[in-house]
Short mmCIF file of all heavy atoms in Angstrom, two decimals:
data_model
loop_
_atom_site.label_atom_id
_atom_site.label_comp_id
_atom_site.label_asym_id
_atom_site.label_seq_id
_atom_site.Cartn_x
_atom_site.Cartn_y
_atom_site.Cartn_z
N MET A 1 106.76 101.11 75.09
CA MET A 1 105.94 101.48 76.22
C MET A 1 106.80 101.48 77.50
O MET A 1 107.63 100.61 77.70
CB MET A 1 104.80 100.49 76.36
CG MET A 1 103.89 100.76 77.49
SD MET A 1 102.23 100.27 77.04
CE MET A 1 101.40 100.75 78.49
N LYS A 2 106.56 102.46 78.34
CA LYS A 2 107.33 102.60 79.57
C LYS A 2 106.82 101.65 80.66
O LYS A 2 105.63 101.37 80.73
CB LYS A 2 107.22 104.03 80.11
CG LYS A 2 107.81 105.08 79.21
CD LYS A 2 107.66 106.44 79.84
CE LYS A 2 108.21 107.52 78.94
NZ LYS A 2 108.09 108.84 79.54
N THR A 3 107.75 101.22 81.49
CA THR A 3 107.35 100.42 82.64
C THR A 3 106.81 101.37 83.71
O THR A 3 107.01 102.59 83.64
CB THR A 3 108.54 99.64 83.22
OG1 THR A 3 109.50 100.58 83.74
CG2 THR A 3 109.18 98.74 82.17
N ASP A 4 106.14 100.81 84.71
CA ASP A 4 105.60 101.63 85.79
C ASP A 4 106.70 102.38 86.54
O ASP A 4 106.53 103.54 86.92
CB ASP A 4 104.77 100.78 86.75
CG ASP A 4 103.44 100.36 86.15
OD1 ASP A 4 103.01 100.95 85.13
OD2 ASP A 4 102.80 99.45 86.71
N SER A 5 107.84 101.73 86.74
CA SER A 5 108.93 102.40 87.46
C SER A 5 109.52 103.55 86.64
O SER A 5 109.86 104.60 87.20
CB SER A 5 110.02 101.40 87.85
OG SER A 5 110.58 100.80 86.71
N GLN A 6 109.63 103.38 85.32
CA GLN A 6 110.09 104.47 84.46
C GLN A 6 109.10 105.62 84.48
O GLN A 6 109.49 106.79 84.54
CB GLN A 6 110.27 103.98 83.03
CG GLN A 6 111.43 103.05 82.82
CD GLN A 6 111.41 102.45 81.42
OE1 GLN A 6 110.35 102.15 80.87
NE2 GLN A 6 112.60 102.27 80.85
N LEU A 7 107.83 105.29 84.43
CA LEU A 7 106.78 106.30 84.44
C LEU A 7 106.79 107.07 85.75
O LEU A 7 106.67 108.30 85.76
CB LEU A 7 105.43 105.63 84.21
CG LEU A 7 104.29 106.49 83.70
CD1 LEU A 7 104.67 107.26 82.46
CD2 LEU A 7 103.08 105.62 83.41
N LYS A 8 106.96 106.36 86.86
CA LYS A 8 107.02 107.03 88.17
C LYS A 8 108.20 108.00 88.22
O LYS A 8 108.05 109.13 88.68
CB LYS A 8 107.13 106.00 89.28
CG LYS A 8 107.21 106.62 90.66
CD LYS A 8 107.27 105.57 91.75
CE LYS A 8 107.37 106.23 93.12
NZ LYS A 8 107.34 105.25 94.19
N ARG A 9 109.34 107.57 87.74
CA ARG A 9 110.53 108.43 87.71
C ARG A 9 110.29 109.67 86.86
O ARG A 9 110.63 110.80 87.25
CB ARG A 9 111.73 107.63 87.21
CG ARG A 9 113.05 108.33 87.35
CD ARG A 9 114.25 107.43 87.03
NE ARG A 9 114.08 106.54 85.90
CZ ARG A 9 113.93 105.21 86.00
NH1 ARG A 9 113.93 104.64 87.19
NH2 ARG A 9 113.79 104.46 84.93
N ASP A 10 109.65 109.50 85.70
CA ASP A 10 109.35 110.63 84.82
C ASP A 10 108.37 111.61 85.48
O ASP A 10 108.52 112.82 85.35
CB ASP A 10 108.79 110.14 83.49
CG ASP A 10 109.83 109.45 82.63
OD1 ASP A 10 111.04 109.51 82.97
OD2 ASP A 10 109.44 108.82 81.62
N VAL A 11 107.36 111.09 86.16
CA VAL A 11 106.39 111.95 86.84
C VAL A 11 107.08 112.72 87.96
O VAL A 11 106.87 113.93 88.12
CB VAL A 11 105.19 111.13 87.37
CG1 VAL A 11 104.33 111.97 88.31
CG2 VAL A 11 104.35 110.60 86.22
N LEU A 12 107.90 112.05 88.75
CA LEU A 12 108.63 112.72 89.83
C LEU A 12 109.54 113.82 89.28
O LEU A 12 109.64 114.91 89.85
CB LEU A 12 109.43 111.72 90.65
CG LEU A 12 108.61 110.78 91.53
CD1 LEU A 12 109.49 109.69 92.11
CD2 LEU A 12 107.90 111.55 92.63
N ASP A 13 110.21 113.54 88.16
CA ASP A 13 111.05 114.56 87.53
C ASP A 13 110.23 115.75 87.06
O ASP A 13 110.64 116.90 87.21
CB ASP A 13 111.83 113.96 86.34
CG ASP A 13 112.95 113.03 86.77
OD1 ASP A 13 113.33 113.06 87.96
OD2 ASP A 13 113.43 112.27 85.91
N GLU A 14 109.08 115.49 86.48
CA GLU A 14 108.21 116.57 86.00
C GLU A 14 107.71 117.42 87.17
O GLU A 14 107.67 118.65 87.07
CB GLU A 14 107.03 116.00 85.22
CG GLU A 14 106.17 117.04 84.54
CD GLU A 14 106.86 117.77 83.41
OE1 GLU A 14 107.79 117.23 82.79
OE2 GLU A 14 106.44 118.92 83.11
N LEU A 15 107.35 116.78 88.26
CA LEU A 15 106.90 117.53 89.44
C LEU A 15 108.04 118.37 90.02
O LEU A 15 107.82 119.48 90.50
CB LEU A 15 106.36 116.57 90.50
CG LEU A 15 105.03 115.88 90.17
CD1 LEU A 15 104.70 114.85 91.24
CD2 LEU A 15 103.90 116.88 90.02
N LYS A 16 109.26 117.83 89.96
CA LYS A 16 110.42 118.57 90.48
C LYS A 16 110.65 119.85 89.67
O LYS A 16 111.02 120.88 90.23
CB LYS A 16 111.66 117.69 90.41
CG LYS A 16 112.89 118.34 91.03
CD LYS A 16 114.16 117.57 90.77
CE LYS A 16 114.12 116.15 91.22
NZ LYS A 16 115.39 115.44 91.06
N TRP A 17 110.40 119.80 88.35
CA TRP A 17 110.64 120.95 87.50
C TRP A 17 109.48 121.94 87.46
O TRP A 17 109.61 123.00 86.87
CB TRP A 17 111.00 120.49 86.08
CG TRP A 17 112.39 119.96 86.03
CD1 TRP A 17 112.78 118.66 86.01
CD2 TRP A 17 113.60 120.72 86.02
NE1 TRP A 17 114.14 118.57 86.00
CE2 TRP A 17 114.67 119.82 86.00
CE3 TRP A 17 113.87 122.09 86.03
CZ2 TRP A 17 115.99 120.24 85.99
CZ3 TRP A 17 115.18 122.50 86.02
CH2 TRP A 17 116.24 121.58 86.00
N GLU A 18 108.36 121.58 88.07
CA GLU A 18 107.22 122.51 88.14
C GLU A 18 107.45 123.48 89.30
O GLU A 18 107.43 123.07 90.46
CB GLU A 18 105.92 121.73 88.35
CG GLU A 18 104.69 122.57 88.51
CD GLU A 18 104.43 123.49 87.32
OE1 GLU A 18 104.46 123.02 86.17
OE2 GLU A 18 104.19 124.68 87.57
N PRO A 19 107.70 124.77 89.00
CA PRO A 19 108.09 125.71 90.06
C PRO A 19 107.00 126.02 91.09
O PRO A 19 107.30 126.44 92.20
CB PRO A 19 108.48 126.97 89.29
CG PRO A 19 107.78 126.87 87.99
CD PRO A 19 107.66 125.40 87.70
N SER A 20 105.75 125.79 90.75
CA SER A 20 104.67 126.15 91.67
C SER A 20 104.32 125.04 92.66
O SER A 20 103.38 125.19 93.44
CB SER A 20 103.43 126.55 90.87
OG SER A 20 102.97 125.45 90.11
N ILE A 21 105.08 123.95 92.65
CA ILE A 21 104.76 122.80 93.51
C ILE A 21 105.97 122.45 94.38
O ILE A 21 107.11 122.45 93.92
CB ILE A 21 104.43 121.55 92.66
CG1 ILE A 21 103.30 121.81 91.71
CG2 ILE A 21 104.09 120.36 93.55
CD1 ILE A 21 103.11 120.71 90.70
N ASN A 22 105.69 122.10 95.64
CA ASN A 22 106.71 121.49 96.50
C ASN A 22 106.57 119.98 96.31
O ASN A 22 105.75 119.35 96.95
CB ASN A 22 106.51 121.91 97.95
CG ASN A 22 107.53 121.28 98.87
OD1 ASN A 22 108.44 120.58 98.43
ND2 ASN A 22 107.39 121.52 100.15
N GLU A 23 107.36 119.41 95.43
CA GLU A 23 107.19 118.00 95.05
C GLU A 23 107.43 117.04 96.20
O GLU A 23 106.97 115.90 96.16
CB GLU A 23 108.09 117.64 93.86
CG GLU A 23 109.52 117.34 94.19
CD GLU A 23 110.40 118.55 94.43
OE1 GLU A 23 109.95 119.68 94.15
OE2 GLU A 23 111.52 118.37 94.90
N ALA A 24 108.12 117.49 97.24
CA ALA A 24 108.36 116.63 98.39
C ALA A 24 107.07 116.28 99.13
O ALA A 24 107.02 115.29 99.85
CB ALA A 24 109.34 117.30 99.34
N GLU A 25 106.03 117.07 98.93
CA GLU A 25 104.75 116.85 99.60
C GLU A 25 103.81 115.93 98.81
O GLU A 25 102.71 115.64 99.26
CB GLU A 25 104.05 118.19 99.85
CG GLU A 25 104.84 119.15 100.70
CD GLU A 25 105.08 118.65 102.12
OE1 GLU A 25 104.17 118.04 102.69
OE2 GLU A 25 106.19 118.87 102.64
N VAL A 26 104.22 115.52 97.61
CA VAL A 26 103.35 114.73 96.73
C VAL A 26 103.89 113.30 96.62
O VAL A 26 105.04 113.09 96.24
CB VAL A 26 103.26 115.36 95.32
CG1 VAL A 26 102.36 114.53 94.42
CG2 VAL A 26 102.75 116.79 95.41
N GLY A 27 103.03 112.34 96.96
CA GLY A 27 103.38 110.94 96.79
C GLY A 27 102.90 110.45 95.44
O GLY A 27 101.84 110.85 94.97
N VAL A 28 103.71 109.63 94.79
CA VAL A 28 103.38 109.12 93.45
C VAL A 28 103.47 107.60 93.44
O VAL A 28 104.49 107.04 93.84
CB VAL A 28 104.35 109.69 92.39
CG1 VAL A 28 104.04 109.12 91.01
CG2 VAL A 28 104.29 111.22 92.36
N THR A 29 102.39 106.95 92.99
CA THR A 29 102.42 105.52 92.73
C THR A 29 101.87 105.29 91.34
O THR A 29 101.04 106.05 90.86
CB THR A 29 101.59 104.73 93.76
OG1 THR A 29 100.26 105.21 93.75
CG2 THR A 29 102.16 104.85 95.16
N VAL A 30 102.35 104.23 90.69
CA VAL A 30 101.94 103.93 89.32
C VAL A 30 101.60 102.45 89.22
O VAL A 30 102.36 101.60 89.68
CB VAL A 30 103.05 104.28 88.31
CG1 VAL A 30 102.59 103.98 86.89
CG2 VAL A 30 103.49 105.72 88.44
N LYS A 31 100.46 102.16 88.60
CA LYS A 31 100.09 100.78 88.32
C LYS A 31 99.41 100.73 86.96
O LYS A 31 98.40 101.40 86.74
CB LYS A 31 99.15 100.23 89.39
CG LYS A 31 98.80 98.79 89.14
CD LYS A 31 98.11 98.14 90.29
CE LYS A 31 97.89 96.69 89.88
NZ LYS A 31 97.27 95.92 90.90
N ASP A 32 100.00 99.96 86.05
CA ASP A 32 99.48 99.80 84.69
C ASP A 32 99.29 101.13 83.97
O ASP A 32 98.32 101.33 83.23
CB ASP A 32 98.16 99.03 84.71
CG ASP A 32 98.31 97.62 85.28
OD1 ASP A 32 99.39 97.02 85.07
OD2 ASP A 32 97.38 97.14 85.93
N GLY A 33 100.19 102.07 84.20
CA GLY A 33 100.13 103.37 83.52
C GLY A 33 99.21 104.38 84.17
O GLY A 33 99.13 105.52 83.72
N ILE A 34 98.52 103.99 85.23
CA ILE A 34 97.65 104.90 85.96
C ILE A 34 98.43 105.46 87.15
O ILE A 34 98.92 104.71 87.98
CB ILE A 34 96.37 104.19 86.48
CG1 ILE A 34 95.64 103.46 85.35
CG2 ILE A 34 95.47 105.17 87.20
CD1 ILE A 34 95.10 104.36 84.27
N VAL A 35 98.54 106.78 87.21
CA VAL A 35 99.32 107.45 88.25
C VAL A 35 98.38 107.92 89.37
O VAL A 35 97.37 108.56 89.10
CB VAL A 35 100.08 108.66 87.67
CG1 VAL A 35 100.87 109.37 88.76
CG2 VAL A 35 100.99 108.23 86.54
N THR A 36 98.73 107.58 90.60
CA THR A 36 97.99 108.05 91.76
C THR A 36 98.84 109.07 92.50
O THR A 36 99.97 108.78 92.88
CB THR A 36 97.62 106.89 92.71
OG1 THR A 36 96.85 105.94 91.98
CG2 THR A 36 96.82 107.38 93.90
N LEU A 37 98.29 110.27 92.68
CA LEU A 37 98.95 111.33 93.43
C LEU A 37 98.30 111.41 94.80
O LEU A 37 97.07 111.38 94.92
CB LEU A 37 98.78 112.68 92.71
CG LEU A 37 99.31 112.77 91.29
CD1 LEU A 37 98.96 114.13 90.70
CD2 LEU A 37 100.81 112.54 91.25
N SER A 38 99.11 111.53 95.84
CA SER A 38 98.58 111.63 97.19
C SER A 38 99.41 112.61 97.99
O SER A 38 100.48 113.04 97.55
CB SER A 38 98.59 110.26 97.87
OG SER A 38 99.91 109.76 97.93
N GLY A 39 98.90 113.00 99.14
CA GLY A 39 99.63 113.91 100.01
C GLY A 39 98.82 115.14 100.34
O GLY A 39 97.61 115.19 100.12
N TYR A 40 99.52 116.13 100.86
CA TYR A 40 98.88 117.38 101.29
C TYR A 40 99.64 118.55 100.69
O TYR A 40 100.86 118.60 100.76
CB TYR A 40 98.90 117.49 102.82
CG TYR A 40 98.18 116.37 103.51
CD1 TYR A 40 98.87 115.27 103.99
CD2 TYR A 40 96.81 116.41 103.66
CE1 TYR A 40 98.22 114.22 104.62
CE2 TYR A 40 96.13 115.37 104.28
CZ TYR A 40 96.84 114.29 104.76
OH TYR A 40 96.17 113.27 105.37
N LEU A 41 98.90 119.48 100.11
CA LEU A 41 99.48 120.71 99.59
C LEU A 41 98.75 121.90 100.21
O LEU A 41 97.58 121.79 100.58
CB LEU A 41 99.37 120.75 98.06
CG LEU A 41 100.25 119.75 97.31
CD1 LEU A 41 99.94 119.74 95.82
CD2 LEU A 41 101.73 120.07 97.52
N PRO A 42 99.42 123.06 100.30
CA PRO A 42 98.82 124.19 101.00
C PRO A 42 97.78 124.97 100.18
O PRO A 42 97.00 125.73 100.76
CB PRO A 42 100.01 125.09 101.33
CG PRO A 42 101.06 124.72 100.35
CD PRO A 42 100.83 123.28 100.01
N THR A 43 97.75 124.81 98.85
CA THR A 43 96.79 125.57 98.05
C THR A 43 96.15 124.69 96.97
O THR A 43 96.75 123.71 96.51
CB THR A 43 97.44 126.78 97.35
OG1 THR A 43 98.37 126.29 96.37
CG2 THR A 43 98.15 127.70 98.34
N TYR A 44 94.96 125.10 96.57
CA TYR A 44 94.26 124.42 95.50
C TYR A 44 95.02 124.57 94.18
O TYR A 44 95.06 123.65 93.37
CB TYR A 44 92.84 124.99 95.37
CG TYR A 44 91.99 124.26 94.37
CD1 TYR A 44 91.49 122.98 94.63
CD2 TYR A 44 91.68 124.83 93.14
CE1 TYR A 44 90.73 122.31 93.71
CE2 TYR A 44 90.91 124.17 92.22
CZ TYR A 44 90.43 122.90 92.50
OH TYR A 44 89.67 122.24 91.58
N ALA A 45 95.65 125.73 93.99
CA ALA A 45 96.43 125.97 92.77
C ALA A 45 97.57 124.96 92.62
O ALA A 45 97.84 124.47 91.52
CB ALA A 45 96.97 127.40 92.76
N GLU A 46 98.24 124.63 93.73
CA GLU A 46 99.31 123.63 93.68
C GLU A 46 98.75 122.25 93.35
O GLU A 46 99.38 121.48 92.63
CB GLU A 46 100.05 123.58 95.01
CG GLU A 46 100.98 124.74 95.22
CD GLU A 46 101.80 124.61 96.48
OE1 GLU A 46 102.52 123.60 96.63
OE2 GLU A 46 101.72 125.51 97.32
N LYS A 47 97.59 121.95 93.88
CA LYS A 47 96.93 120.66 93.61
C LYS A 47 96.66 120.51 92.11
O LYS A 47 96.98 119.49 91.50
CB LYS A 47 95.63 120.60 94.40
CG LYS A 47 94.81 119.36 94.19
CD LYS A 47 93.57 119.42 95.07
CE LYS A 47 92.66 118.25 94.80
NZ LYS A 47 91.52 118.20 95.70
N ILE A 48 96.11 121.56 91.50
CA ILE A 48 95.82 121.54 90.06
C ILE A 48 97.11 121.48 89.25
O ILE A 48 97.21 120.76 88.25
CB ILE A 48 94.98 122.78 89.67
CG1 ILE A 48 93.63 122.75 90.38
CG2 ILE A 48 94.81 122.87 88.16
CD1 ILE A 48 92.78 121.54 90.09
N ALA A 49 98.14 122.22 89.68
CA ALA A 49 99.42 122.23 88.97
C ALA A 49 100.06 120.84 88.99
O ALA A 49 100.65 120.41 87.99
CB ALA A 49 100.36 123.26 89.58
N ALA A 50 99.94 120.13 90.11
CA ALA A 50 100.50 118.78 90.21
C ALA A 50 99.79 117.84 89.24
O ALA A 50 100.42 117.02 88.56
CB ALA A 50 100.38 118.26 91.64
N GLU A 51 98.48 117.96 89.15
CA GLU A 51 97.72 117.12 88.24
C GLU A 51 98.06 117.42 86.78
O GLU A 51 98.28 116.51 85.98
CB GLU A 51 96.23 117.31 88.48
CG GLU A 51 95.37 116.37 87.70
CD GLU A 51 93.89 116.49 88.03
OE1 GLU A 51 93.53 117.24 88.94
OE2 GLU A 51 93.11 115.81 87.36
N LYS A 52 98.16 118.69 86.44
CA LYS A 52 98.51 119.08 85.06
C LYS A 52 99.92 118.62 84.69
O LYS A 52 100.15 118.15 83.58
CB LYS A 52 98.39 120.59 84.88
CG LYS A 52 96.97 121.08 84.81
CD LYS A 52 96.92 122.57 84.56
CE LYS A 52 95.48 123.06 84.45
NZ LYS A 52 95.41 124.50 84.22
N ALA A 53 100.86 118.77 85.62
CA ALA A 53 102.24 118.34 85.36
C ALA A 53 102.30 116.84 85.11
O ALA A 53 103.01 116.37 84.21
CB ALA A 53 103.14 118.72 86.53
N THR A 54 101.52 116.08 85.86
CA THR A 54 101.49 114.63 85.70
C THR A 54 100.92 114.25 84.33
O THR A 54 101.44 113.36 83.66
CB THR A 54 100.65 113.99 86.82
OG1 THR A 54 101.24 114.34 88.07
CG2 THR A 54 100.61 112.48 86.68
N LYS A 55 99.87 114.94 83.91
CA LYS A 55 99.25 114.64 82.62
C LYS A 55 100.16 114.97 81.44
O LYS A 55 99.98 114.44 80.35
CB LYS A 55 97.93 115.40 82.49
CG LYS A 55 96.85 114.86 83.39
CD LYS A 55 95.57 115.64 83.25
CE LYS A 55 94.48 115.06 84.14
NZ LYS A 55 93.23 115.84 84.05
N ARG A 56 101.17 115.84 81.65
CA ARG A 56 102.10 116.19 80.57
C ARG A 56 103.09 115.07 80.27
O ARG A 56 103.72 115.06 79.21
CB ARG A 56 102.90 117.44 80.96
CG ARG A 56 102.16 118.73 80.87
CD ARG A 56 103.11 119.91 80.91
NE ARG A 56 103.88 120.01 82.13
CZ ARG A 56 103.61 120.81 83.15
NH1 ARG A 56 102.56 121.59 83.12
NH2 ARG A 56 104.40 120.83 84.20
N VAL A 57 103.25 114.13 81.18
CA VAL A 57 104.25 113.07 81.01
C VAL A 57 103.76 112.05 79.99
O VAL A 57 102.65 111.52 80.11
CB VAL A 57 104.54 112.39 82.37
CG1 VAL A 57 105.50 111.23 82.18
CG2 VAL A 57 105.10 113.40 83.35
N LEU A 58 104.60 111.78 79.01
CA LEU A 58 104.28 110.82 77.97
C LEU A 58 104.16 109.42 78.56
O LEU A 58 105.04 108.97 79.31
CB LEU A 58 105.37 110.83 76.90
CG LEU A 58 105.14 109.96 75.67
CD1 LEU A 58 103.92 110.46 74.90
CD2 LEU A 58 106.36 109.95 74.80
N GLY A 59 103.06 108.73 78.29
CA GLY A 59 102.85 107.38 78.78
C GLY A 59 101.84 107.28 79.90
O GLY A 59 101.41 106.18 80.24
N VAL A 60 101.45 108.41 80.49
CA VAL A 60 100.45 108.41 81.56
C VAL A 60 99.08 108.14 80.94
O VAL A 60 98.62 108.88 80.07
CB VAL A 60 100.45 109.74 82.34
CG1 VAL A 60 99.28 109.80 83.31
CG2 VAL A 60 101.75 109.92 83.08
N LYS A 61 98.44 107.07 81.37
CA LYS A 61 97.11 106.72 80.84
C LYS A 61 95.99 107.43 81.59
O LYS A 61 94.94 107.69 81.03
CB LYS A 61 96.90 105.21 80.94
CG LYS A 61 97.80 104.41 80.06
CD LYS A 61 97.53 102.93 80.22
CE LYS A 61 98.45 102.09 79.37
NZ LYS A 61 98.24 100.66 79.60
N GLY A 62 96.21 107.71 82.87
CA GLY A 62 95.20 108.38 83.67
C GLY A 62 95.80 108.82 84.99
O GLY A 62 96.87 108.37 85.38
N VAL A 63 95.07 109.72 85.68
CA VAL A 63 95.54 110.24 86.95
C VAL A 63 94.44 110.09 87.99
O VAL A 63 93.30 110.50 87.76
CB VAL A 63 95.93 111.74 86.83
CG1 VAL A 63 96.37 112.29 88.18
CG2 VAL A 63 97.02 111.93 85.80
N VAL A 64 94.78 109.48 89.10
CA VAL A 64 93.89 109.41 90.26
C VAL A 64 94.46 110.41 91.25
O VAL A 64 95.58 110.26 91.71
CB VAL A 64 93.87 108.00 90.88
CG1 VAL A 64 92.98 107.98 92.11
CG2 VAL A 64 93.39 106.98 89.85
N GLU A 65 93.70 111.44 91.54
CA GLU A 65 94.19 112.53 92.36
C GLU A 65 93.60 112.45 93.76
O GLU A 65 92.41 112.58 93.92
CB GLU A 65 93.85 113.84 91.65
CG GLU A 65 94.42 115.07 92.26
CD GLU A 65 93.49 115.59 93.31
OE1 GLU A 65 92.32 115.80 93.02
OE2 GLU A 65 93.97 115.76 94.44
N LYS A 66 94.46 112.17 94.74
CA LYS A 66 94.02 112.04 96.14
C LYS A 66 94.73 113.07 97.02
O LYS A 66 94.90 112.85 98.21
CB LYS A 66 94.33 110.63 96.66
CG LYS A 66 93.54 109.55 95.97
CD LYS A 66 93.83 108.21 96.59
CE LYS A 66 92.99 107.12 95.94
NZ LYS A 66 93.27 105.81 96.52
N ILE A 67 95.13 114.17 96.42
CA ILE A 67 95.82 115.24 97.17
C ILE A 67 94.79 116.05 97.94
O ILE A 67 93.76 116.41 97.40
CB ILE A 67 96.61 116.14 96.22
CG1 ILE A 67 97.72 115.36 95.51
CG2 ILE A 67 97.20 117.34 96.97
CD1 ILE A 67 98.44 116.12 94.44
N GLU A 68 95.10 116.33 99.19
CA GLU A 68 94.23 117.16 100.02
C GLU A 68 94.88 118.52 100.21
O GLU A 68 96.09 118.63 100.31
CB GLU A 68 94.00 116.51 101.38
CG GLU A 68 93.18 115.22 101.29
CD GLU A 68 92.87 114.68 102.68
OE1 GLU A 68 92.61 115.47 103.59
OE2 GLU A 68 92.91 113.45 102.79
N VAL A 69 94.04 119.55 100.28
CA VAL A 69 94.52 120.91 100.53
C VAL A 69 94.39 121.17 102.02
O VAL A 69 93.32 121.05 102.59
CB VAL A 69 93.73 121.95 99.72
CG1 VAL A 69 94.18 123.36 100.07
CG2 VAL A 69 93.89 121.70 98.23
N LYS A 70 95.51 121.50 102.64
CA LYS A 70 95.53 121.86 104.07
C LYS A 70 96.11 123.25 104.19
O LYS A 70 97.28 123.47 103.89
CB LYS A 70 96.35 120.87 104.86
CG LYS A 70 95.64 119.59 105.14
CD LYS A 70 96.25 118.90 106.32
CE LYS A 70 95.39 117.73 106.71
NZ LYS A 70 95.89 117.05 107.87
N LEU A 71 95.29 124.18 104.60
CA LEU A 71 95.73 125.55 104.75
C LEU A 71 96.65 125.72 105.93
O LEU A 71 96.60 125.04 106.89
CB LEU A 71 94.52 126.48 104.88
CG LEU A 71 93.54 126.40 103.73
CD1 LEU A 71 92.34 127.26 104.02
CD2 LEU A 71 94.20 126.83 102.45
#
């Protein structure tokens, strides 16, 4: 089982490789395998892509999505 710091690193790497997201705008915290995404993105599509990318990471138990869309 991955530690929270390993999981955070893996999520950040996955967000970096997702071409439709500016990963610098997304904050990631992990506690007990639950990933919280926060920040501001310019489109709803990017918000959904960030959530899907996070769910692809092995070891993620759940995602709390607190990203806001700011046009």
Side-chain angles (χ1 to χ4, degrees):
M1 180 146 182
K2 295 181 182 181
T3 65
D4 287 345
S5 61
Q6 289 171 323
L7 202 52
K8 179 178 179 176
R9 190 171 40 252
D10 290 349
V11 168
L12 289 170
D13 288 344
E14 187 68 25
L15 290 174
K16 185 189 304 184
W17 285 102
E18 177 59 49
S20 63
I21 304 169
N22 179 3
E23 81 281 350
E25 301 296 322
V26 180
V28 177
T29 57
V30 181
K31 182 168 182 178
D32 299 327
I34 307 296
V35 179
T36 301
L37 302 176
S38 60
Y40 300 97
L41 291 173
T43 66
Y44 185 73
E46 285 185 57
K47 178 179 176 175
I48 297 301
E51 187 175 354
K52 286 183 178 180
T54 301
K55 289 179 179 178
R56 284 195 299 260
V57 176
L58 185 64
V60 172
K61 293 180 182 177
V63 178
V64 177
E65 187 272 306
K66 294 183 177 179
I67 296 173
E68 293 184 38
V69 176
K70 282 202 171 182
L71 303 175

